Amino acid sequence: MRNNLQFYIDGTWVQPKSTTVIDVINPADESVVGQVALGDASDVDDAVSAARKAFETYSLTSIEERISLFDRIIAAYDKRVSDLALAVTDEMGAPQWLSEQLQVTVGVAHFQIARAALETYRFDEPLGTSEVVREPIGVCALITPWNWPLMLMAAKVAPALAAGCTVVLKPSEIAPFSGTILAEILHDAGVPKGVFNLVHGDGRVVGNALTSHPDVDLVSFTGSTAAGIEVARTGALTVKRVHQELGGKSPNIVLRSADLASAVEGGVAQMMLNSGQNCSAPSRMLVHADQVAEAISYAKAAAETWSVGHPSSNAKMGPVASEAQWNKIQRLIQSGFDEGAKLVTGGLGRPDGLDAGFYVRPTIFADVRNDMTIAREEIFGPVLVIIAYSDEEEAVRIANDTTYGLAAYVQGERVAAEAIARRLRAGQVYLNNVSLDLAAPFGGYKQSGNGREWGPMAIAEFLETKAIIGFREAA
């Protein structure tokens, strides 16, 4: 049993003011794998107060001091890789291979990238007779979800600390274990007290207390668009900066010039990774009408190689993270049937032989119109839809016909794919099934959010700009 019953505030582990404790459910078998304490507004007050006090000194640290701190954080993280991988598997059901090879490694990568960015980042620069100074914004509330817990926490904590800010982190109460270990890592690395604080809790109580707190200067939130709207509304009451990475319904345009088998198989693999629980997943595959039948054949074969099973097995895919998520996915699969889509593979219910746990069949629908529910709503599960287009103009129109704009994908001859990429309304466009670039800015257009994470540009999100006029003599 993993008991996460304390919070990390002002450099030490403390008892919560609240007495509320909930069970953490292992999605692989529905057993109780631990407990987590849920904080309240008074716990948030303590954490924010500690962060505010620490900001007075940490904001003045030199670049060299922060680089040294990041070196210690990376070294401490490396010592806990095995612990982190086990925690992620327990809390959100990621297969062991995925936890070890991706979930944990992308977490430390964000600290490494932020550390490298500090070596060349220009916090001050001349402009006419003025000096433009970029200073840390202040106390930052970081609210993260459960699907890539380490990556999403590190993607916020690393640039905030690099900028000179102090933070209060609220991980998902569904997947709290890795957040607790991250706090232990930062403590062991010697992060000054109050610079990093951790309060567990739910969005309704702790999340709301953070977003409405008058001493919080910035909120960085990753989650659903509906929740993001509430965060923005609450944050507006104190005119704080709100940075959001929200939902997606990303198109994957397969051009006629693409190697069809490779493009389709790669798209299926990117869709099924992490049980489809990826905000930037290529969930709408757009294929030329003349190639749809062949693409369906490739997609079916590819999806059926994605074995589903317990995280400790050799299966490619584990469960989704919770019963609520499983129920949502089943409802949306049913909507595909109800609205006339054609099931290619997968469908409702658990895969054969898996009677417990929140397992979903890798599912593909064809004959999908872009106005169907399964083409409009973010399913956040291993469900891919195939949509036919008649020409490239229609492909671009369908791709952009969504309230989201987090990511997009294009497969095909390089020059043509690049031209299409420039026309897509999305924060990231992936060409020819390329892998992640964690140094590239990540964030969305439209209702996929605002602001950017990852890489050097993420640091800018945690800075304010000051002009010192008359700093230089006129030429």
Side-chain angles (χ1 to χ4, degrees):
M1 291 284 286
R2 297 175 179 269
N3 292 319
N4 290 228
L5 303 180
Q6 292 184 312
F7 302 154
Y8 185 74
I9 297 175
D10 204 20
T12 189
W13 292 96
V14 301
Q15 291 298 123
K17 302 290 180 61
S18 169
T19 59
T20 303
V21 174
I22 63 169
D23 292 333
V24 179
I25 305 301
N26 185 334
D29 57 16
E30 302 179 54
S31 65
V32 176
V33 71
Q35 292 185 317
V36 61
L38 301 185
D40 61 18
S42 60
D43 295 303
V44 170
D45 284 341
D46 289 346
V48 172
S49 177
R52 174 59 62 193
K53 181 179 179 181
F55 180 73
E56 296 176 7
T57 52
Y58 185 70
S59 62
L60 301 177
T61 54
S62 68
I63 301 302
E64 292 73 22
E65 287 174 307
R66 292 179 211 164
I67 288 173
S68 177
L69 175 59
F70 271 71
D71 286 338
R72 299 196 304 272
I73 291 171
I74 293 164
Y77 192 109
D78 287 344
K79 293 177 182 178
R80 302 296 300 275
V81 164
S82 296
D83 295 338
L84 288 166
L86 288 172
V88 172
T89 293
D90 282 350
E91 67 190 358
M92 54 86 61
Q96 288 180 2
W97 70 266
L98 181 64
S99 292
E100 294 167 359
Q101 297 176 29
L102 283 177
Q103 289 275 1
V104 174
T105 57
V106 294
V108 74
H110 283 295
F111 286 104
Q112 294 166 335
I113 290 168
R115 185 248 184 255
L118 278 174
E119 292 187 336
T120 57
Y121 199 89
R122 296 185 66 184
F123 287 90
D124 299 354
E125 62 181 333
L127 181 64
T129 62
S130 301
E131 183 79 351
V132 177
V133 179
R134 295 175 181 88
E135 300 177 335
I137 191 170
V139 175
C140 302
L142 313 179
I143 301 174
T144 59
W146 40 260
N147 57 319
W148 288 90
L150 285 164
M151 178 174 76
L152 295 168
M153 287 186 288
K156 298 180 188 299
V157 172
L161 297 187
C165 294
T166 58
V167 305
V168 180
L169 172 68
K170 189 202 87 65
S172 169
E173 70 278 17
I174 293 174
F177 304 146
S178 52
T180 295
I181 297 175
L182 179 61
E184 293 170 354
I185 289 169
L186 297 175
H187 178 84
D188 291 343
V191 173
K193 67 177 186 178
V195 170
F196 172 86
N197 304 274
L198 170 75
V199 177
H200 288 296
D202 60 19
R204 182 181 58 85
V205 177
V206 172
N208 185 70
L210 283 168
T211 56
S212 62
H213 202 291
D215 285 334
V216 168
D217 300 292
L218 176 148
V219 176
S220 182
F221 171 82
T222 297
S224 71
T225 296
I229 290 170
E230 291 305 311
V231 168
R233 181 180 289 120
T234 305
L237 297 175
T238 48
V239 200
K240 57 172 55 70
R241 187 185 301 173
V242 177
H243 164 222
Q244 301 167 311
E245 192 269 285
L246 307 176
K249 194 69 181 177
S250 301
N252 183 6
I253 299 176
V254 180
L255 299 175
R256 297 192 74 177
S257 60
D259 178 327
L260 188 63
S262 176
V264 171
E265 290 164 4
V268 170
Q270 288 184 307
M271 184 64 237
M272 301 304 168
L273 183 69
N274 203 37
S275 301
Q277 298 169 124
N278 309 302
C279 49
S280 58
S283 53
R284 293 184 296 146
M285 183 177 288
L286 279 57
V287 180
H288 192 278
D290 292 345
Q291 297 178 311
V292 165
E294 189 178 2
I296 289 172
S297 176
Y298 290 133
K300 182 177 188 297
E304 290 174 356
T305 69
W306 277 79
S307 55
V308 182
H310 194 277
S312 63
S313 71
N314 293 322
K316 286 187 178 181
M317 185 185 299
V320 296
S322 69
E323 182 178 17
Q325 188 64 20
W326 190 88
N327 288 333
K328 174 191 174 184
I329 294 167
Q330 300 303 307
R331 173 180 62 80
L332 288 166
I333 290 174
Q334 182 61 54
S335 78
F337 291 114
D338 295 343
E339 296 178 19
K342 175 185 175 181
L343 182 68
V344 173
T345 189
L348 293 166
R350 294 180 175 86
D352 294 341
L354 295 171
D355 299 324
F358 308 126
Y359 299 94
V360 176
R361 299 172 185 268
T363 298
I364 296 177
F365 281 103
D367 294 351
V368 175
R369 301 186 314 275
N370 203 49
D371 63 352
M372 290 181 175
T373 302
I374 53 175
R376 307 302 295 181
E377 290 194 27
E378 184 178 39
I379 299 173
F380 223 62
V383 182
L384 172 68
V385 303
I386 299 176
I387 302 172
Y389 67 85
S390 59
D391 56 32
E392 290 183 4
E393 290 300 316
E394 185 181 29
V396 171
R397 180 185 62 77
I398 293 171
N400 288 333
D401 180 17
T402 173
T403 58
Y404 297 111
L406 188 58
Y409 301 72
V410 187
Q411 322 300 327
E413 185 273 326
R414 186 78 184 189
V415 173
E418 289 175 355
I420 294 292
R422 292 182 181 276
R423 300 177 62 190
L424 299 178
R425 301 285 293 167
Q428 284 193 336
V429 182
Y430 295 80
L431 301 178
N432 293 317
N433 289 323
V434 70
S435 59
L436 285 175
D437 179 357
L438 294 175
F442 178 72
Y445 287 29
K446 299 185 279 187
Q447 292 187 29
S448 287
N450 52 70
R452 292 295 181 266
E453 296 186 323
W454 302 7
M457 287 191 68
I459 296 175
E461 297 292 335
F462 294 93
L463 299 173
E464 280 285 21
T465 301
K466 174 187 291 180
I468 304 178
I469 300 168
F471 188 89
R472 301 174 185 279
E473 293 184 6

